[in-house]
Amino acid sequence: QHGVAPLPSPSTMPDASVAERTLLGQRIGAISGAEAAKGWSDEAICKLLDLVKSQKGVVEDRDVCLLGEVKAAFRSAGVSRLSSREAAVQEMQRFLFPKPKPKGEDEAGLAKEFLKLAQHGQLLEARQLLQGRPKLLHARSTSKGYTAMHYAAMGASLPLLEWLAEQGLKPDVLSQPKDASPALTPAQVAHDYKRDAAVASLSRLAEAYAFLSSAGAELDDAAKLRAAARAGCSAAAAVLLR
């Protein structure tokens, strides 16, 4: 096992576990000419990481491997060739400064965007986003646990309320707050924001979908429409006639 030249006051890597650093060592060890990394101790990896981290913003990332201090430390650790050292430093830079996920892969960001679209009544954009990511229908805000239905109610986005219900999101779905505050329906949120039209729309939608749910899945739309007419449920009939 190779040692690493002592560095002044090496810090630990608080955001990474020993297991993650061990995997880093294994990845570097797979680089031709850097096989010694497979035997690095966690302390040795931490010292090298600290050294690479300390150069951020001082020199260009691609030039870190050319610094005398870096060259000496990696040579002492068993990585002498320039190409191997360059690849090892790049691996450490990726570990220390991971790039944010592309927007299309950031689930939390997509959920936030979907909720925002619902609030602002951007039906076309919301439909396009949901088409590629059906799970977004059940997205919730991080603190209050609001759904897209809550946000559409907040923004009085009536077409969004109807569309979300058609997609299967319940008009009376409850929020899931992280604290001890009471769970709210979209209608309650609309009332708090003085969105009277949204309150009325949600009331009709809740009535309609409660009736349609009780009518039975075995009935086709025509049979449900007849049942709604017999029961005098105009809200359910309006939904079926859209």
Side-chain angles (χ1 to χ4, degrees), residues 133-170:
R133 304 270 179 167
K135 290 182 180 179
L136 289 177
L137 182 66
H138 303 288
R140 289 182 180 270
S141 62
T142 53
S143 57
K144 294 186 177 181
Y146 283 175
T147 66
M149 192 73 79
H150 290 84
Y151 278 96
M154 189 188 301
S157 305
L158 306 191
L160 253 297
L161 292 174
E162 295 176 359
W163 176 72
L164 289 168
E166 289 171 4
Q167 304 313 303
L169 192 58
K170 292 183 178 180

Side-chain angles (χ1 to χ4, degrees), residues 1 6 27 50 58 77 87 98 107 114 122 124 132 139 142 144 187-188 217 221 231 233 242:
Q1 178 172 316
R27 289 198 300 274
D50 275 335
V58 178
E107 295 295 337
F114 184 68
Q122 294 175 264
L124 178 61
T142 53
K144 294 186 177 181
Q188 288 173 306
D221 285 352
C233 185
R242 283 197 194 110

Side-chain angles (χ1 to χ4, degrees), residues 169-185:
L169 192 58
K170 292 183 178 180
D172 55 357
V173 59
L174 288 171
S175 63
Q176 295 178 353
K178 297 292 185 183
D179 56 20
S181 59
L184 300 175
T185 64

